[in-house]
Amino acid sequence: MNGSSSKRFWGKHLRKLSTSLPSYSPFSSNPSHGPRSNPLSSLRAFVLNRPKASFLLLLTILLITLISPVLNHHYRSSRYLGGGHRFVIILAANKGGGVMEWKNGKQWASERESVANKKHYSNKWGYHLEIKDMSTKKRYAHEWRESWEKVDIIKQTMRQYPKAEWFWWLDLHTYIMEPSISLQSHIFDHLSKVTYRDINIYNPLNITHPLSKKTHPFLTDIERSPVGDGKPESINLIVPQDCGGFNLGSFFIRRSEWSERLLDIWWDPVGYEQKHMEWEHKEQDALEYLYTNQPWIRASTAFIPQRMINSFPPGACAETPNDPRIFYSERDRDFLVNMAGCEWGRDCWAEMATYKKLSKKLNRSLWERWFGKK
C-alpha cells in the first residue's frame, strides 16, 4: 500500500470513529453526552430480560412488607427483648349489651373506634389485648350485679394469661392519645418516680393516713408507714384519683398473692349484699371502703397522677372545672383520655371522634407534616 492509499484508508476510518463519538457544542442548550437512559425503559428491559429475577425481587419486597409487622410484634412481646408479654390490656366492651336500652349507631361507632385504638396500640407494642363483653346479665341467681363485673373479669383474665404480670383495665370510652409511647417507657421503667404511696399528696376523700399507733396498735411498721416499705417491687395496685376519689376507668393491677386476696374480698357477695345500696359508684366505692378500713391494702397500693393515664375532657368533674391536675392538655401531650360520664348529658361519639382526630394530628409522621393536608 503506497503513501496516498494509506492516508485515504486511515482518513476514512478516523471519520467513522469521530462521527460515533459524543458531540459537544458550547452554544448548544442541550449538549449531547451520548444516548440518555430512561429509568422506566431500563426497568422494563430488566423485567423482560430477567423475569425470574424480577419475580423474586417483587416477592421479597412483598414478604418484607407482610412479615415486618409480625416480626416487630414478636420482638416487642418477647420475654427477653421487648417484654410486652408482661402486659395485658383488658377493654370493657358492649356495655349493657342492649339489655337495658337499644344501642344506637353512635354508640356502636364509638365502641368500634375504642376497640380499634386498643388493637393498634397492643399490636404496636406486643401486648396482649382481651376485649371483654360487659353485657348485663345475672352473675348469681339472686342479684343483678352490673358494673361490678370488672373485678370478676380481672380474675378470669389472670387465669387466661398465667405468665402476664400487669393487667391494665380500660373502660370503653377511653382513647390512647400517644400510641408511640410504651407502658414501659411511660410508667414501668421508672415506677417509683411516677407514682406516690402517701395519699395525702392528693386526698379528695380526706382519708386519714397513716393510721396512728395509738388507735391501731396491732399494725406493723410497714402498715403504719405513709409509704409502705417504699419499694416499687411491693406495688401491686396503681390507681389514679379524680375530683371525687378513686377512678377505675383506667388502672393497673399486678399478679400476686396480695392481688388474689384483694380481688376475692372485693368481689365477695356478702360484702356486696350488705353495702351495695350505699355505694353509688359500686366497685369503685367498694375499693375506697376497703382501702380505708383494711390497712394491709394500703401497704401495696400506689397512686399515679391522673393525667398520666386518665385525663378527663371538659365536662367531667364539674365540681372542679379549672383543676390542671385533672383535664387533658394538648400542649403536654397527655397519654390517654377517659370520657368519663359522657353517657349522662354529653355526646360520647362526638368526644371520641374529636380526640381521635387530634391524636392523628399530633402523631403525624414527618412526611405527613411536610406534604400532608394542613
Side-chain angles (χ1 to χ4, degrees), residues 22-230:
S23 62
Y24 170 73
S25 170
F27 306 103
S28 172
S29 60
N30 185 24
S32 172
H33 295 278
R36 290 185 175 182
S37 61
N38 186 336
L40 292 177
S41 300
S42 301
L43 179 62
R44 184 168 59 249
F46 178 81
V47 171
L48 293 175
N49 294 331
R50 299 185 179 181
K52 290 184 178 180
S54 303
F55 175 74
L56 289 174
L57 179 62
L58 181 61
L59 185 62
T60 301
I61 294 171
L62 182 62
L63 286 174
I64 291 173
T65 304
L66 294 174
I67 292 174
S68 290
V70 178
L71 293 176
N72 180 66
H73 178 84
H74 282 290
Y75 167 79
R76 286 179 165 167
S77 64
S78 168
R79 177 185 299 272
Y80 303 106
L81 298 173
H85 74 286
R86 297 167 52 211
F87 301 94
V88 179
I89 301 173
I90 308 173
L91 177 64
N94 195 27
K95 190 173 182 180
V99 174
M100 298 299 184
E101 62 179 10
W102 289 106
K103 295 176 72 171
N104 58 40
K106 285 186 175 182
Q107 288 173 317
W108 286 116
S110 180
E111 182 168 316
R112 283 196 301 270
E113 292 294 349
S114 179
V115 170
N117 174 247
K118 312 312 182 294
K119 282 184 176 179
H120 171 72
Y121 186 71
S122 59
N123 287 335
K124 180 178 180 65
W125 293 106
Y127 305 143
H128 303 291
L129 174 63
E130 195 65 28
I131 301 171
K132 290 298 186 178
D133 183 2
M134 299 289 286
S135 57
T136 301
K137 54 185 177 293
K138 281 191 175 183
R139 181 73 175 101
Y140 299 105
H142 68 286
E143 65 188 30
W144 285 97
R145 206 166 179 178
E146 64 275 8
S147 297
W148 283 75
E149 303 96 324
K150 65 177 61 175
V151 180
D152 194 39
I153 285 173
I154 291 171
K155 294 173 67 176
Q156 294 173 14
T157 309
M158 284 184 170
R159 290 193 292 269
Q160 283 180 257
Y161 297 91
K163 295 183 180 180
E165 181 182 2
W166 283 99
F167 297 80
W168 183 20
W169 177 276
L170 288 175
D171 280 354
L172 178 63
H173 295 125
T174 55
Y175 200 87
I176 299 170
M177 297 294 291
E178 300 296 329
S180 60
I181 299 175
S182 69
L183 293 176
Q184 294 95 311
S185 64
H186 189 49
I187 299 171
F188 293 95
D189 287 347
H190 38 89
L191 187 58
S192 60
K193 293 181 180 179
V194 299
T195 58
Y196 59 96
R197 309 285 280 272
D198 186 355
I199 196 174
N200 293 306
I201 292 175
Y202 181 57
N203 192 359
L205 295 172
N206 293 316
I207 296 172
T208 301
H209 183 78
L211 299 170
S212 69
K213 188 173 184 178
K214 184 177 180 180
T215 57
H216 297 78
F218 53 88
L219 299 181
T220 65
D221 291 339
I222 290 177
E223 290 171 336
R224 272 198 302 270
S225 169
V227 295
D229 63 5

Side-chain angles (χ1 to χ4, degrees), residues 196-197 234-237 239 258 291 297-303:
Y196 59 96
R197 309 285 280 272
S234 65
I235 296 175
N236 291 299
L237 180 66
V239 179
W258 182 95
Y291 180 88
I297 291 177
R298 302 185 186 201
S300 288
T301 300
F303 300 96

Side-chain angles (χ1 to χ4, degrees), residues 235-253:
I235 296 175
N236 291 299
L237 180 66
I238 305 173
V239 179
Q241 295 187 90
D242 60 29
C243 56
F246 294 11
N247 187 287
L248 299 181
S250 169
F251 72 97
F252 293 91
I253 187 166

Side-chain angles (χ1 to χ4, degrees), residues 248 278-290:
L248 299 181
E278 301 176 27
W279 291 333
E280 179 186 359
H281 297 102
K282 305 179 174 75
E283 85 293 332
Q284 202 159 274
D285 288 346
L287 182 61
E288 292 170 351
Y289 179 86
L290 291 172

Side-chain angles (χ1 to χ4, degrees), residues 347-359:
D347 190 335
C348 296
W349 163 242
E351 291 185 11
M352 182 76 71
T354 298
Y355 284 108
K356 176 189 175 184
K357 183 177 180 181
L358 178 59
S359 175

